[in-house]
Amino acid sequence: MLVGAGHSHLHILKQAGLFAARGYALTVIAPDDFWYSGAASGVLSGQYRPDSERIDIAALIAGSGATLIRSRLAAIDRAARRLVSEDGTAVPFDVVSLNLGSAPVPLPGDNRNVFDVKPVAHLDRLRGALETRHQTNPKAQTRIAIVGGGLTGFEIAASLERLGRRLNAPFSITVHGGDRPLADLAKPIAAGVIHALRRRGIAAPDGSRVVSVDDGVLTLADGRTEPADFVVNASGLAPAPVIAGLGLPLAGDGSLHVDPWLRSTGDPAIFAAGDCIAFDGAPLPRVGVYAVRQAPVILHNMLASLEGTPLMRFEPQKHFLTIMNLGDDTGLALRAGLHWRGRLAWRLKDAIDRRFLASHRPDPTPATVPTDRPELSRSQS
């Protein structure tokens, strides 16, 4: 059984035929397709065509003998060795891998109309809603508030600024980043990024911390209120809520506790990977690079568990490359304390994202086709 279609399971889904070839029946429970977060900001900005970050998992496993159940996990009956989906379907398992991901931390208040940054499909909905609003009333100013001052919050702000320019729409964008925006970056680097975005008209007031959002009105820590037509929640991520009810050992932040072989410390037949796990009580940074590297380990260990052969350890890498899309065909690349900003960083990110998507598609269709860079569209046709 595979539960979820995130980064850690995508590699396995592409090789789903291995299970049938070795005499095993593979079932996948996933409510949606795979949405690649690395390209999400580019789709939001209009650098890539809509929906280009999505991979159809039904097409990916077609002909492999695997079964796809379009639902979510509700419970694990460990005594009966069954998984129970939200629609009540019970499926027996011998070995299972959980790729349940993470979810945004809810903002205080009545914020039903807030666009969370995850699942990634929400950003497609946001782009569509902004385009519809602009088509309906092209001259109306659209006030967009982004709650969260991390890399994701500022990357989304930069992408929305580009979308506004592409549509010729009067967007007013404000990032409420708290007391220390871009706290993961050294202060000079953070200051340079914020300064560059402010020059493009993005507001990033110092010390602006949101304490609640109610029906499109943000309340700040100093008591001021600020109306917004659209609110984006980029305030942080936590393990998916379903994890708490699975009856498995958890780390302090609610992640599933796993051993070096990516097995739950409470059940050796249950593997887990991606944003939902922690080692020795400590989660890894919630970035796709770890999930991608866990994928071949999960595949090997599921088959090894069934066949009684040695398992493979997962060894987290010490450093990884992060590239922030700054929305203007430049990027900020970060690795092991080093950084560089400019067009080369964006081109590297673009190449990495295209290669990743192309390598996991069931057909050779180009992974991403920019809508406002026709010279690249021609080169890929």
Side-chain angles (χ1 to χ4, degrees):
M1 295 289 300
L2 298 178
V3 181
H7 284 80
S8 297
H9 283 174
L10 191 63
H11 171 78
I12 304 174
L13 292 171
K14 190 170 182 181
Q15 301 189 62
L18 284 175
F19 289 87
R22 290 161 79 160
Y24 307 115
L26 176 65
T27 301
V28 183
I29 298 178
D32 200 357
D33 290 328
F34 174 83
W35 292 78
Y36 178 50
S37 56
S41 60
V43 173
L44 180 61
S45 69
Q47 290 167 294
Y48 301 143
R49 62 175 171 80
D51 207 32
S52 62
E53 78 272 52
R54 185 177 69 87
I55 293 178
D56 184 342
I57 62 171
L60 195 62
I61 66 173
S64 69
T67 300
L68 174 60
I69 299 174
R70 289 290 194 182
S71 188
R72 289 182 171 85
L73 178 68
I76 299 178
D77 184 344
R78 290 166 57 199
R81 278 301 190 248
R82 299 185 306 172
L83 299 184
V84 182
S85 66
E86 283 186 340
D87 61 8
T89 302
V91 186
F93 73 89
D94 295 294
V95 62
V96 60
S97 176
L98 305 177
N99 190 197
L100 299 173
S102 56
V105 177
L107 298 173
D110 181 11
N111 50 83
R112 288 168 291 179
N113 295 322
V114 169
F115 287 84
D116 291 330
V117 296
K118 292 189 75 175
V120 173
H122 289 183
L123 297 182
D124 268 31
R125 287 180 45 238
L126 172 61
R127 188 201 65 254
L130 288 167
E131 290 174 343
T132 298
R133 175 183 169 91
H134 177 63
Q135 291 167 1
T136 303
N137 192 347
K139 296 183 179 179
Q141 185 182 62
T142 299
R143 301 164 298 183
I144 306 171
I146 298 165
V147 182
L151 294 178
T152 298
F154 278 92
E155 187 173 57
I156 288 173
S159 298
L160 289 172
E161 187 274 336
R162 181 177 182 134
L163 177 65
R165 284 191 286 112
R166 185 172 67 85
L167 298 176
N168 195 27
F171 286 178
S172 172
I173 303 169
T174 302
V175 181
H176 296 279
D179 299 328
R180 169 79 161 87
L182 294 176
D184 289 340
L185 304 181
K187 288 185 177 180
I189 304 172
V193 172
I194 293 170
H195 176 71
L197 296 184
R198 282 173 173 166
R199 291 187 62 178
R200 288 162 54 187
I202 297 171
D206 295 330
S208 180
R209 185 166 58 86
V210 174
V211 295
S212 68
V213 178
D214 295 279
D215 195 24
V217 178
L218 287 71
T219 300
L220 306 182
D222 61 8
R224 290 181 296 119
T225 59
E226 180 177 307
D229 301 301
F230 293 85
V231 179
V232 181
N233 177 16
S235 61
L237 298 174
V242 66
I243 293 172
L246 297 181
L248 295 168
L250 304 179
D253 72 338
S255 302
L256 289 166
H257 195 274
V258 298
D259 64 18
W261 297 272
L262 300 177
R263 298 177 301 187
S264 167
T265 55
D267 193 323
I270 299 177
F271 293 86
D275 285 1
C276 69
I277 65 170
F279 298 89
D280 296 325
L284 294 168
R286 292 190 169 97
V287 293
V289 64
Y290 288 116
V292 169
R293 289 175 178 267
Q294 288 160 4
V297 177
I298 288 286
L299 175 59
H300 173 91
N301 286 351
M302 289 183 74
L303 291 169
S305 179
L306 292 166
E307 297 171 349
T309 56
L311 302 183
M312 179 189 300
R313 291 175 65 99
F314 171 68
E315 300 289 348
Q317 64 194 89
K318 293 182 179 180
H319 304 293
F320 56 88
L321 175 67
T322 297
I323 305 179
M324 182 181 179
N325 181 3
L326 296 177
D328 59 352
D329 294 335
T330 70
L332 173 67
L334 305 153
R335 180 181 170 85
L338 303 175
H339 77 279
W340 72 95
R341 198 176 98 199
R343 291 187 179 274
L344 181 60
W346 156 249
R347 289 173 182 170
L348 177 60
K349 175 176 173 56
D350 181 50
I352 291 171
D353 292 340
R354 289 172 185 265
R355 185 170 63 248
F356 179 87
L357 284 163
S359 68
H360 289 90
R361 288 189 185 278
D363 57 58
T365 302
T368 51
V369 180
T371 58
D372 56 355
R373 294 169 66 192
E375 72 283 359
L376 289 185
S377 299
R378 286 196 299 269
S379 68
Q380 292 204 12
S381 61

